[in-house]
Amino acid sequence: MFQQYVFDELESTNDYLKANYQQYQDKSVIVAKTQTKGRGRFDRVWESAQDLTFSILFKTAKPHRIIAPLVIVKALESLGYQAMIKWPNDVLIDGKKVCGILIEQCYLGSNCQAIIVGIGINLSPKQERKACFVNERLQDVLDAILNEYDTIMHLDQISLVQMYRQYQYVVGKKLQLDDGIWDVVDISEEGYLQIETQGKKKVLTSEEVTLSQLYE
């Protein structure tokens, strides 16, 4: 059972939970009506005053990283939107970003005590031409996401990867990396990105793939 805690303003829901996770129970959900210093991957700043910004605390189960984007696309699907995943964990509608996800771990010594899944979904128009939004009530979107978590968290690894492949955006496209042009060929059983070029093969485990790097 998810327990929701709503704050009028936080600098970052992820940072708040990282500092206070010991005070909250498993599956606590921290929601910020306004987030002033939200962070994306590689510490990019993501400010929000009209969007859905929240973080989920997992202490007991340690969900695989591909679960979060799957939950988002399934939740949006339940609300009537066709969304896809840009590996590793951005969610797109019509090729434009609608959701970003930041997954972080909390350690005590060498032991992982908790996983924090931070999610930001655009509910208002953006100036960025590669971004879009969903015109839905914040609580409706949040409820749909938490409902999907209850279902998808129980799937095994094979089922998760099969589902992830159904919603992926990048396989079959060309990828521009520093060392040339690669074909994106598959998502591995571990959820990694498999690419190849001129007989060479490579597996990307955590690198970001941007929209500007991809083309047909």
Side-chain angles (χ1 to χ4, degrees):
M1 178 67 70
F2 291 97
Q3 180 67 45
Q4 300 179 31
Y5 301 87
V6 181
F7 293 78
D8 286 334
E9 181 177 307
L10 288 174
E11 289 189 349
S12 160
T13 56
N14 262 36
D15 286 350
Y16 175 83
L17 265 184
K18 285 171 69 178
N20 299 283
Y21 74 92
Q22 293 174 320
Q23 302 174 26
Y24 287 90
Q25 70 270 37
D26 182 44
K27 301 175 81 171
S28 290
V29 182
I30 304 299
V31 183
K33 294 180 179 178
T34 298
Q35 184 172 251
T36 58
K37 293 183 180 178
R39 292 179 296 109
R41 282 167 60 83
F42 308 108
D43 288 329
R44 295 191 185 97
V45 176
W46 196 82
E47 297 183 1
S48 171
Q50 297 177 295
D51 304 308
L52 173 56
T53 55
F54 67 103
S55 296
I56 308 175
L57 177 66
F58 292 101
K59 287 185 170 181
T60 304
K62 303 298 193 295
H64 194 286
R65 63 180 186 147
I66 69 174
I67 289 178
L70 276 174
V71 164
I72 302 302
V73 295
K74 295 296 288 185
L76 292 176
E77 190 174 70
S78 73
L79 295 170
Y81 298 89
Q82 292 185 336
M84 301 188 76
I85 302 166
K86 179 182 71 63
W87 188 90
N89 52 19
D90 283 344
V91 177
L92 312 177
I93 295 177
D94 295 329
K96 296 183 177 181
K97 183 174 177 178
V98 70
C99 171
I101 300 166
L102 179 64
I103 301 173
E104 299 185 288
Q105 298 176 330
C106 299
Y107 280 90
L108 186 60
S110 60
N111 296 319
C112 180
Q113 301 294 303
I115 289 179
I116 297 171
V117 179
I119 298 173
I121 299 182
N122 297 333
L123 301 182
S124 58
K126 304 300 171 191
Q127 293 183 344
E128 169 60 51
R129 66 182 182 86
K130 293 184 178 180
C132 67
F133 73 104
V134 293
N135 187 21
E136 302 289 337
R137 290 181 60 251
L138 182 151
Q139 194 62 50
D140 290 343
V141 179
L142 180 57
D143 288 344
I145 290 169
L146 299 182
N147 287 338
E148 291 297 336
Y149 254 111
D150 280 332
T151 299
I152 294 177
M153 281 281 290
H154 299 293
L155 296 178
D156 59 58
Q157 177 78 8
I158 294 175
S159 299
L160 285 172
V161 173
Q162 287 175 344
M163 184 183 294
Y164 189 94
R165 285 171 173 153
Q166 293 175 10
Y167 290 97
Q168 60 73 35
Y169 178 79
V170 299
V171 172
K173 290 183 166 54
K174 302 285 186 181
L175 174 61
Q176 171 73 54
L177 290 179
D178 293 338
D179 52 354
I181 307 297
W182 296 73
D183 294 307
V184 182
V185 295
D186 201 1
I187 305 294
S188 75
E189 295 299 329
E190 297 76 29
Y192 300 145
L193 196 65
Q194 297 176 332
I195 62 176
E196 63 180 37
T197 184
Q198 298 177 349
K200 295 189 297 182
K201 296 182 179 181
K202 182 182 289 191
V203 175
L204 304 184
T205 59
S206 62
E207 299 88 337
E208 182 180 35
V209 172
T210 65
L211 285 172
S212 61
Q213 289 175 289
L214 292 168
Y215 55 94
E216 300 294 338

